[in-house]
Amino acid sequence: MAEKDFYEILGVPRDASAAQIKKAYRQLARKYHPDKAQGDPHASDRFKEVQQAYEVLSDPQKRQNYDRFGPVGVNMGEGPWPAAEGTGRTYRYTTKGPGRINFDFSEIFGSGGGDFGFDFSEIFGNAAATDKFRRGRQSPQQQAPPRGKDIEHSVKVSFEEAIYGTTRDVVATISQARGTQHKERITVKIPAGVENGRKIRVRGKGQPGPEGNDGDLIISVEVQEHRYFKRDGANIYLEVPITYTEAALGAKIDVPTLSGTTTVTIPPGSSSGRKLRLKGKGIKTPTRGNVGDMYLILKIVPPTDPDDETRQILRDLAQKRPQDDIRRDWH
């Protein structure tokens, strides 16, 4: 059976650059690695072919020999390659057992395992294995120094401050050399629209680390509840009390919003629990910048101490519209 051409295996032209060869190899290695191509019975063989082709074509000297003499030298095991014409040199290619190639993964990942910005987990799907691989290949000089510890603080803000944004001065205790400490006052910006429990990170304001790799200051925001408004994400909810007559006949009433007082119309025949939507009267989110809505929840409130005349009017209304009428569907 004729040997497959290494250029065809990688899908590159014979005049491909080293960068083109490396890119083609990475794509095919990810595609055919057994951990990624489970269920494909030919994936393992293709993966080996791709490795073998890249091992030869990525080496300038081996590629020159392959272009000159073809695959015959590759399949000789450990032994001499034919002498290059006019040079008198002899070239060697080493394998380790049938079908196995003395292959160095640093050809893909660089001497540090990540010099080319390539993630080992893209082939093997295992981030932990990637970290272990990289740590094993890095020298102590290459490994990043440990960071200083983060400092955590919590701050309380009012409902309005959370809506419109504010600042807070935080006093952080910073450890120094020889066990000494000093306090540093840091002004933290609380963004408009911040939600309860949101954490704000101030880079480099934590405990000092070696070589200037300081930790961070992490602020946890506690938003106090409002007397009337309730918040759900970017939306605001307000319970609006209305009278019997406003609910039955409809009315125009003034209600508070985040941007001031607004007049709204209560539709005739409204019942308790009905929602009225005020579009764009909610909160502007700090991340996406979109604005929520405001919802008015109607609540019919009966008179607490009606006079005799009011009672008589209610009795007349009850005789004219018996209460059983509104519950007739139960029968």
Side-chain angles (χ1 to χ4, degrees), residues 253-304:
I253 64 173
D254 292 335
V255 298
T257 70
L258 298 178
S259 57
T261 302
T262 298
T263 301
V264 298
T265 299
I266 306 299
S270 294
S271 58
S272 283
R274 181 170 184 173
K275 290 183 181 180
L276 303 180
R277 178 189 179 197
L278 302 182
K279 187 175 181 180
K281 290 293 186 179
I283 301 170
K284 184 176 182 179
T285 58
T287 52
R288 298 182 179 180
N290 58 309
V291 181
D293 301 324
M294 182 173 183
Y295 291 91
L296 308 179
I297 313 300
L298 302 183
K299 181 181 180 181
I300 300 175
V301 179
T304 56

Side-chain angles (χ1 to χ4, degrees), residues 32-86:
Y32 291 112
H33 191 278
D35 289 346
K36 286 287 187 180
Q38 295 181 2
D40 184 351
H42 304 295
S44 179
D45 292 337
R46 290 286 288 121
F47 185 70
K48 292 177 181 178
E49 289 179 348
V50 169
Q51 283 185 312
Q52 186 179 29
Y54 180 73
E55 200 278 339
V56 174
L57 299 184
S58 62
D59 185 290
Q61 191 64 67
K62 291 180 181 179
R63 181 180 179 183
Q64 179 181 352
N65 295 336
Y66 177 76
D67 291 342
R68 185 181 296 270
F69 305 110
V72 59
V74 177
N75 295 325
M76 291 173 60
E78 182 164 354
W81 279 67
E85 183 178 348

Side-chain angles (χ1 to χ4, degrees), residues 35-36 119-133:
D35 289 346
K36 286 287 187 180
D119 190 352
F120 199 87
S121 63
E122 290 183 17
I123 297 179
F124 297 97
N126 188 329
T130 304
D131 293 339
K132 184 176 180 181
F133 171 81

Side-chain angles (χ1 to χ4, degrees), residues 155 157 194-200 218-223:
V155 297
V157 298
V194 66
E195 292 189 70
N196 184 52
R198 168 80 180 276
K199 293 184 183 296
I200 301 172
I218 300 176
I219 305 297
S220 180
V221 180
E222 181 181 343
V223 181

Side-chain angles (χ1 to χ4, degrees), residues 59-286:
D59 185 290
Q61 191 64 67
K62 291 180 181 179
R63 181 180 179 183
Q64 179 181 352
N65 295 336
Y66 177 76
D67 291 342
R68 185 181 296 270
F69 305 110
V72 59
V74 177
N75 295 325
M76 291 173 60
E78 182 164 354
W81 279 67
E85 183 178 348
T87 65
R89 297 180 181 176
T90 300
Y91 303 95
R92 295 182 180 274
Y93 173 75
T94 302
T95 61
K96 292 185 178 181
R100 298 189 62 187
I101 302 168
N102 186 11
F103 185 77
D104 185 0
F105 272 102
S106 65
E107 294 290 336
I108 311 174
F109 306 109
S111 60
D115 296 345
F116 294 96
F118 184 74
D119 190 352
F120 199 87
S121 63
E122 290 183 17
I123 297 179
F124 297 97
N126 188 329
T130 304
D131 293 339
K132 184 176 180 181
F133 171 81
R134 288 175 174 169
R135 289 196 300 268
R137 293 191 60 85
Q138 286 181 328
S139 66
Q141 291 78 13
Q142 292 172 312
Q143 294 179 6
R147 294 177 65 253
K149 290 184 178 180
D150 294 334
I151 298 177
E152 296 189 6
H153 270 273
S154 63
V155 297
K156 291 184 178 181
V157 298
S158 68
F159 188 89
E160 290 81 1
E161 288 175 324
I163 300 301
Y164 300 111
T166 186
T167 59
R168 281 290 187 274
D169 288 339
V170 174
V171 178
T173 302
I174 311 296
S175 299
Q176 299 293 305
R178 301 178 181 177
T180 60
Q181 295 181 335
H182 84 278
K183 296 183 181 297
E184 181 177 349
R185 184 179 297 275
I186 302 169
T187 300
V188 180
K189 181 179 180 181
I190 309 299
V194 66
E195 292 189 70
N196 184 52
R198 168 80 180 276
K199 293 184 183 296
I200 301 172
R201 183 180 295 270
V202 184
R203 299 287 183 183
K205 292 299 183 179
Q207 299 294 357
E211 302 181 21
N213 197 15
D214 299 342
D216 300 331
L217 173 64
I218 300 176
I219 305 297
S220 180
V221 180
E222 181 181 343
V223 181
Q224 297 176 324
E225 292 187 0
H226 194 273
R227 184 178 180 183
Y228 304 117
F229 297 132
K230 301 295 180 184
R231 178 177 181 176
D232 183 10
N235 297 326
I236 291 291
Y237 291 81
L238 174 67
E239 188 175 77
V240 180
I242 58 176
T243 65
Y244 282 145
T245 54
E246 290 172 333
L249 304 177
K252 290 184 179 294
I253 64 173
D254 292 335
V255 298
T257 70
L258 298 178
S259 57
T261 302
T262 298
T263 301
V264 298
T265 299
I266 306 299
S270 294
S271 58
S272 283
R274 181 170 184 173
K275 290 183 181 180
L276 303 180
R277 178 189 179 197
L278 302 182
K279 187 175 181 180
K281 290 293 186 179
I283 301 170
K284 184 176 182 179
T285 58

